Amino acid sequence: MQPKKFSIGIDIGGTNTTSGIVNRHGEILVEEHIKTADYATPAHFVKAIKACLESHINHFGRDEIKGIGAGAPNANYYTGEIQPAPNLPWKEVIPLRQLLEDAFDLPATITNDANASAIGEMTYGAAKGMKNFIMITLGTGLGSGFVANGQLIYGHDGFAGELGHVIAVRDGRLCNCGRRGCLERYSSATGIVLTAHEMLEASTEDESTMPENWLLPIYKGGAEITSSGIHKAALEGDPTATAIFDFTGRILGQTLADAVAYTSPQAIILFGGLAKAGDFILEPTKKYMEENLLSIYKNKIDIIPSGLSERDAAILGAAALAWE
Amino acid sequence: MQPKKFSIGIDIGGTNTTSGIVNRHGEILVEEHIKTADYATPAHFVKAIKACLESHINHFGRDEIKGIGAGAPNANYYTGEIQPAPNLPWKEVIPLRQLLEDAFDLPATITNDANASAIGEMTYGAAKGMKNFIMITLGTGLGSGFVANGQLIYGHDGFAGELGHVIAVRDGRLCNCGRRGCLERYSSATGIVLTAHEMLEASTEDESTMPENWLLPIYKGGAEITSSGIHKAALEGDPTATAIFDFTGRILGQTLADAVAYTSPQAIILFGGLAKAGDFILEPTKKYMEENLLSIYKNKIDIIPSGLSERDAAILGAAALAWE
């Protein structure tokens, strides 16, 4: 029997859900989008995804489709359920795998979005051929997937890889999880904005002498400070923006130095909105990680940007789950 | 062909080296001891181990022996070498696997002592049947082995699992590794003595009113404070000793709460000299770990003492390597 040619990938986000059909080379053949919050129940939501894909499945041939992979916040690989997720419109435990299998009559696998990204990166991206790496998604929060011995570490209950909730600063900033000092309160799109607010609030400099596209004049003018705005200001030579990236990279680099001592990876792959700032975030992260590494790990571990485009990564990661 | 019945386990420590022949049920059939530092070179050392075991090997039958497993400080599973180890008498890189294979004409596998303990615990001890757990050895230092998906995590280069060198207290106590705040400077036989010195030095209490087997009178009398001495004082109701265990368990528990977020284990197994203090160390470790856990991990993870006697664990762990 020939191996099946296609798989279905579904990336479920708080705002948008993207689904598509992918081949074994990582080419996305069709892609469909719906708004996650438009649906009153998970069952209606799954029905809508099916409606989007039905004609494509018939076109490519149902018998040629290996299965469905879905990445979603708080999705558990073992149980097939989504635990109550603050970012999703439905607050109950969602039996997503079962809903998908019933709707599509195909085998389904689900995992959280960070793990899906790690599998996508290993199957199609920057981690191709790697057996030990850490995948980090610097989005609204900080997600992570740890691969060791060529396998994703799910842990006993499917909840491994919560690097975003490792304590980076003891008694530090209050996190949504109710604890203090979690890494994602510092090193994420949300975290860098918190740092910017702290630094800008504490600034004693005179903004009237600065170019208007620097952060202090923007902040004093009452405009919103965003992760991409900080990147723009850094590109304009704003030293405050550079200092904000330096601090963000310091906290991330220090924590990664510890993360390395757990799994001794070949590489750490950075992905997500904040990673788009390129060297502004990569350089301080590398520098502080190296400074803090135990000597046996020094000068060995690459920190590299994702090999997949932001647009494609989530759906490829989800689709890659179905090949496993 | 029948599976072979025996394996050879070798536990190499800075002071003593124990070797023996073990069966598949974890029974140690013979055991031999030599002093590690008595031998000028690693080759002489391996020759001495062979001389100890030769007649036993002939007795049990060379053809019935599956292979050799050895645990040693800084031993690397992948390269088969011991990296320069502060606790060993020889300062060069030691091609231990090759030396063993040449001397015995049997296949050999080596790993560091903490990883060997993890494999021993999984094969014969408290982690039998577990696929995800963390093994922690609280000895002179703090060693660790992480098992995920039923496999030991060696990492890209064989150096994974250095929990003793995760930063538990940022800018904390100076460690032998040259960095500050490593977990093993707090939570190990060495670390608890450092804590005792700090607390006793800072004490403003009057030791003359205390029982003479409490720590402050012992310390003021100029006697050495040891890990087992702190345990004894705690048994005598010394509140300072209890406070020392509480602090040691707090630092360990906080760090374990982070460790759980990496690999989401079913259990954490404690072994080694300091673990012998039983509930004095287990209770605060559990308490502070639970207090610091992300909610999805709360009340799920057992912290349990090793299922193997201290005397047997190292050699069983080493021998278990040979079955893999």
Side-chain angles (χ1 to χ4, degrees):
Chain A
M1 201 177 77
Q2 290 287 312
K4 302 197 177 198
K5 287 181 188 153
F6 310 110
S7 72
I8 293 173
I10 305 173
D11 172 51
I12 300 172
T15 310
N16 298 303
T17 289
T18 306
S19 58
I21 296 179
V22 175
N23 68 17
R24 288 188 180 263
H25 307 295
E27 287 158 344
I28 300 171
L29 305 172
V30 295
E31 193 172 317
E32 295 283 349
H33 304 268
I34 61 175
K35 292 282 173 199
T36 309
D38 280 356
Y39 303 91
T41 70
H44 286 92
F45 168 70
V46 168
K47 207 171 154 188
I49 298 172
K50 197 196 170 195
C52 290
L53 293 178
E54 189 72 35
S55 65
H56 301 303
I57 292 172
N58 292 333
H59 171 75
F60 289 105
R62 172 170 296 273
D63 291 348
E64 289 293 355
I65 293 176
K66 177 92 192 299
I68 303 168
N74 287 17
N76 189 300
Y77 176 78
Y78 290 130
T79 64
E81 295 171 341
I82 298 182
Q83 293 300 305
N87 300 335
L88 292 181
W90 318 289
K91 295 307 165 205
E92 69 271 29
V93 171
I94 303 162
L96 179 66
R97 185 174 63 206
Q98 196 61 54
L99 289 171
L100 289 169
E101 292 190 342
D102 290 350
F104 285 88
D105 196 20
L106 284 166
T109 308
I110 75 170
T111 193
N112 74 43
D113 29 10
N115 286 342
S117 297
I119 290 174
E121 215 65 54
M122 186 162 54
T123 312
Y124 304 118
K128 227 170 169 173
M130 287 188 194
K131 294 206 173 299
N132 296 276
F133 69 96
I134 305 174
M135 175 82 204
I136 294 177
T137 307
L138 300 168
T140 310
L142 185 150
S144 67
F146 286 76
V147 172
N149 299 327
Q151 298 174 339
L152 200 68
I153 301 180
Y154 287 110
H156 178 54
D157 55 4
F159 291 117
E162 286 286 354
L163 189 68
H165 292 285
V166 159
I167 305 304
V169 178
R170 188 71 52 197
D171 302 318
R173 293 176 187 161
L174 188 63
C175 183
N176 297 335
C177 75
R179 303 177 312 147
R180 286 194 170 273
C182 293
L183 179 60
E184 73 172 27
R185 296 307 282 173
Y186 296 85
S187 302
S188 67
T190 309
I192 198 170
V193 169
L194 291 172
T195 299
H197 281 178
E198 281 182 12
M199 286 198 186
L200 293 166
E201 194 58 42
S203 175
T204 55
E205 292 185 77
D206 178 4
E207 75 276 12
S208 68
T209 65
M210 295 178 182
E212 63 184 13
N213 51 15
W214 284 16
L215 291 174
L216 195 60
I218 292 169
Y219 180 71
K220 295 280 184 182
E224 194 191 356
I225 302 291
T226 62
S227 169
S228 61
I230 299 165
H231 182 201
K232 271 186 208 132
L235 288 169
E236 298 291 342
D238 181 354
T240 303
T242 311
I244 291 166
F245 277 114
D246 188 77
F247 179 80
T248 307
R250 174 155 76 80
I251 303 293
L252 181 57
Q254 284 175 347
T255 308
L256 290 180
D258 282 342
V260 165
Y262 285 87
T263 61
S264 188
Q266 175 178 2
I268 298 168
I269 297 165
L270 297 187
F271 181 70
L274 184 55
K276 281 196 236 167
D279 283 348
F280 286 113
I281 185 68
L282 276 172
E283 288 305 320
T285 303
K286 278 183 191 175
K287 177 183 137 196
Y288 291 107
M289 182 183 83
E290 284 295 338
E291 277 182 13
N292 285 279
L293 279 174
L294 187 63
S295 62
I296 50 169
Y297 305 121
K298 276 187 196 286
N299 302 311
K300 278 183 178 177
I301 295 145
D302 296 323
I303 299 187
I304 47 181
S306 162
L308 302 173
S309 80
E310 180 114 29
R311 193 174 158 280
D312 293 350
I315 196 165
L316 286 177
L321 270 175
W323 301 125
E324 293 221 309
Chain B
M1 203 176 77
Q2 289 288 312
K4 302 196 177 197
K5 288 182 189 152
F6 310 110
S7 73
I8 293 173
I10 306 173
D11 173 52
I12 301 172
T15 310
N16 298 303
T17 290
T18 306
S19 58
I21 296 179
V22 175
N23 69 16
R24 286 188 181 263
H25 307 294
E27 289 158 342
I28 300 171
L29 306 172
V30 295
E31 192 172 315
E32 295 282 349
H33 303 268
I34 61 175
K35 293 281 172 199
T36 310
D38 280 357
Y39 303 91
T41 70
H44 286 92
F45 169 70
V46 168
K47 206 170 153 188
I49 299 172
K50 199 199 169 193
C52 289
L53 294 178
E54 189 74 35
S55 65
H56 302 303
I57 293 172
N58 292 333
H59 172 74
F60 289 104
R62 171 171 297 272
D63 291 347
E64 289 294 353
I65 294 175
K66 177 93 193 296
I68 303 168
N74 287 17
N76 187 302
Y77 175 79
Y78 289 130
T79 65
E81 295 171 341
I82 296 181
Q83 294 300 305
N87 300 334
L88 292 181
W90 319 289
K91 296 307 165 205
E92 69 270 27
V93 171
I94 303 162
L96 179 66
R97 185 173 63 205
Q98 195 62 55
L99 289 171
L100 290 169
E101 292 190 340
D102 291 350
F104 285 87
D105 197 20
L106 284 166
T109 308
I110 75 170
T111 192
N112 73 44
D113 27 10
N115 285 344
S117 296
I119 290 173
E121 214 66 53
M122 186 162 51
T123 312
Y124 304 117
K128 227 168 167 174
M130 287 188 195
K131 295 206 171 301
N132 297 275
F133 69 96
I134 305 175
M135 174 82 205
I136 293 179
T137 307
L138 299 169
T140 311
L142 185 152
S144 68
F146 287 75
V147 171
N149 299 328
Q151 298 174 340
L152 200 68
I153 301 181
Y154 287 111
H156 179 54
D157 56 3
F159 291 117
E162 287 286 354
L163 188 68
H165 292 284
V166 159
I167 305 305
V169 179
R170 187 71 53 198
D171 301 318
R173 293 177 186 161
L174 187 63
C175 182
N176 297 334
C177 76
R179 303 177 313 149
R180 286 192 170 274
C182 293
L183 179 60
E184 73 172 28
R185 297 308 280 174
Y186 296 85
S187 302
S188 67
T190 310
I192 197 169
V193 169
L194 292 171
T195 299
H197 281 180
E198 282 181 13
M199 286 198 185
L200 294 166
E201 194 58 45
S203 175
T204 55
E205 292 185 75
D206 177 5
E207 75 276 12
S208 69
T209 64
M210 294 178 183
E212 62 184 12
N213 52 15
W214 283 15
L215 291 174
L216 195 61
I218 292 169
Y219 180 72
K220 295 282 184 180
E224 193 190 358
I225 302 290
T226 62
S227 169
S228 60
I230 300 165
H231 182 199
K232 271 185 209 132
L235 287 169
E236 298 291 341
D238 181 354
T240 304
T242 311
I244 291 166
F245 277 114
D246 188 76
F247 179 81
T248 307
R250 174 158 72 82
I251 303 293
L252 181 57
Q254 284 174 347
T255 308
L256 289 180
D258 282 342
V260 165
Y262 285 89
T263 62
S264 189
Q266 175 178 2
I268 298 169
I269 296 163
L270 297 187
F271 181 70
L274 183 54
K276 281 194 237 167
D279 282 348
F280 287 113
I281 185 69
L282 276 173
E283 288 306 320
T285 302
K286 278 183 193 177
K287 177 184 137 197
Y288 291 107
M289 182 183 83
E290 284 295 338
E291 276 181 14
N292 284 278
L293 280 173
L294 187 64
S295 62
I296 50 168
Y297 305 120
K298 277 188 196 287
N299 302 310
K300 279 183 178 178
I301 295 147
D302 295 323
I303 300 188
I304 47 181
S306 161
L308 301 174
S309 79
E310 179 114 29
R311 193 173 158 280
D312 293 349
I315 196 164
L316 286 178
L321 270 175
W323 300 126
E324 294 223 309

